[in-house]
Amino acid sequence: MHEIAKIALLLCIGLALNASLANWYRESVMWEGITEKTTRQFEAERDSVDTLILGDSHAKRALYPSVLKNAFNLAIPGENYIETFYVLRSLIDDANLEIRTVILPIDLHSLSSWNIDGFAHVHHYASFVDYFEIGWRRGRLMLYAVRALQGRYAPYVSERRNILTYFEYNRPRDMFWLQELPLVGGALVDKRSIAKWTSDERMKQTATRVGFHLKNRDPTLPILEAYFLQILDLCAAHNIRVVLVQYPVTREYLRAASEIIDIEAFDQRIRTLVQPYDNVQLIATRNLFGNRLDVFLDGDHLNEKGAILFSRAVKRRALDVTRK
């Protein structure tokens, strides 16, 4: 019995130490992270929100709740439809929220396999995402089970870079380049533009972005398509309107993308998928700004000027109609 008591004591000490480390990682190391800052803003504003902006960095930079009204930008750079589904489901289950409209991206890389196993922000998503379900569906149960346990119980494991950067700069390494930008209503505000870039600089940057998203990728990964439809089904079941947005990109980006995928075939696939849903509106605004380089941060992200103009366009085409 004496040895059992010792083991039990050591186990309790270990669990308490792990819990303290996990809490320290979430509440201190990641305090200035993009997910934490977004969550804190949302908790402060959620009572007035009926429109949710979800998705990745395209949405995060391009839609301003201050223009849309009664909206909040919950997009997280790198987020895919799988993560979006679980986040949205948890929000719909929240009795204190009344969601009327969800704005989702439907970009050329939205169904691409580029970030399927990125596992970014696992400490954040573990509260929403059923990693066991995903692992089972993908035939990679052990990999996803480990991520689930890490995110929930030991988020500091394998996060040496975030911890060291926190000690040096008082903020984490994850998305370090975004952390000093203003975050308003969950949206990132960035005044820079590519207007002064040379043509060669734009082409090089665009080729890198397009290659990252599309080259040697599956352009319509079945599991992402399945979760995309689950999002639409979930919204239909709860009488939530879905606005699908093609976020604007430069013509250089489109030219580079067209050399890798059949853009018209992709668009037709999306139209076929959403056709059965009466609650879905597709806004085709990929070409909205053409060669207006002053509104772009890079080949596929809008800057502050572009975001204001684009937010007004989305409000005019979709949200004003909904609220009448």
Side-chain angles (χ1 to χ4, degrees):
M1 291 295 295
H2 185 64
E3 292 300 321
I4 294 176
K6 282 185 177 180
I7 293 172
L9 178 59
L10 289 173
L11 181 60
C12 290
I13 292 173
L15 290 173
L17 178 60
N18 178 75
S20 297
L21 286 172
N23 185 68
W24 169 75
Y25 182 79
R26 293 189 185 99
E27 299 297 326
S28 296
V29 175
M30 300 305 296
W31 184 254
E32 291 300 320
I34 196 74
T35 56
E36 284 66 30
K37 290 166 72 174
T38 300
T39 299
R40 289 199 299 274
Q41 286 194 2
F42 179 61
E43 290 302 319
E45 301 178 26
R46 58 185 292 151
D47 290 346
S48 62
V49 171
D50 64 27
T51 297
L52 294 179
I53 303 156
L54 300 172
D56 58 15
S57 60
H58 284 189
K60 194 71 169 173
R61 292 181 179 275
L63 285 177
Y64 286 2
S66 58
V67 175
L68 300 179
K69 308 299 182 185
N70 301 327
F72 192 87
N73 194 323
L74 271 175
I76 299 296
E79 184 168 295
N80 59 44
Y81 285 138
I82 298 174
E83 293 155 340
T84 296
F85 168 75
Y86 290 107
V87 169
L88 178 58
R89 188 174 69 175
S90 71
L91 293 170
I92 288 175
D93 288 342
D94 186 339
N96 295 318
L97 270 177
E98 186 176 350
I99 305 169
R100 297 175 58 190
T101 303
V102 167
I103 302 176
L104 289 175
I106 190 65
D107 294 316
L108 295 177
H109 70 280
S110 292
L111 296 173
S112 167
S113 59
W114 74 277
N115 194 36
I116 187 64
D117 288 326
F119 295 113
H121 316 299
V122 68
H123 71 285
H124 169 74
Y125 286 116
S127 299
F128 310 102
V129 174
D130 188 339
Y131 285 109
F132 292 96
E133 180 181 33
I134 304 166
W136 181 264
R137 291 173 67 169
R138 296 201 65 214
R140 308 185 73 182
L141 183 58
M142 184 59 68
L143 172 65
Y144 281 83
V146 169
R147 292 299 185 180
L149 294 174
Q150 175 192 347
R152 282 186 174 273
Y153 304 112
Y156 56 87
V157 172
S158 301
E159 297 297 345
R160 178 174 174 271
R161 293 196 313 164
N162 279 336
I163 294 171
L164 291 179
T165 306
Y166 167 73
F167 283 135
E168 186 171 359
Y169 298 102
N170 204 35
R171 58 184 191 267
R173 176 70 176 173
D174 280 354
M175 299 187 180
F176 196 80
W177 63 96
L178 299 179
Q179 291 169 21
E180 292 185 349
L181 294 176
L183 195 68
V184 182
L188 281 168
V189 180
D190 199 327
K191 297 179 181 295
R192 296 172 297 169
S193 82
I194 59 173
K196 294 183 180 180
W197 291 14
T198 66
S199 177
D200 286 344
E201 288 173 333
R202 293 197 306 271
M203 291 293 289
K204 182 177 179 181
Q205 188 275 341
T206 298
T208 299
R209 293 288 300 169
V210 171
F212 183 59
H213 285 149
L214 302 173
K215 192 173 183 179
N216 300 320
R217 313 289 190 187
D218 185 338
T220 53
L221 193 67
I223 193 168
L224 286 175
E225 189 173 289
Y227 271 97
F228 171 65
L229 293 177
Q230 283 183 238
I231 293 172
L232 301 188
D233 288 336
L234 182 66
C235 289
H238 289 84
N239 198 31
I240 296 172
R241 187 160 175 266
V242 178
V243 179
L244 294 178
V245 176
Q246 294 178 348
Y247 284 93
V249 295
T250 62
R251 290 180 180 175
E252 291 161 327
Y253 185 98
L254 281 179
R255 281 196 297 269
S258 67
E259 295 175 0
I260 301 175
I261 68 169
D262 185 333
I263 294 177
E264 178 52 38
F266 176 85
D267 288 344
Q268 182 55 50
R269 178 61 180 163
I270 299 305
R271 288 192 291 268
T272 300
L273 290 175
V274 305
Q275 192 275 329
Y277 296 91
D278 294 333
N279 63 316
V280 175
Q281 178 184 0
L282 176 63
I283 300 182
T285 44
R286 190 183 295 138
N287 299 287
L288 182 63
F289 295 125
N291 280 333
R292 282 200 58 180
L293 300 179
D294 60 310
V295 303
F296 285 100
L297 175 70
D298 55 36
D300 62 316
H301 292 102
L302 295 175
N303 60 18
E304 181 186 35
K305 182 177 182 179
I308 292 172
L309 294 174
F310 185 63
S311 298
R312 289 172 180 168
V314 170
K315 183 174 184 289
R316 184 173 62 251
R317 297 187 188 196
L319 301 186
D320 284 344
V321 175
T322 304
R323 288 173 180 148
K324 286 180 180 178

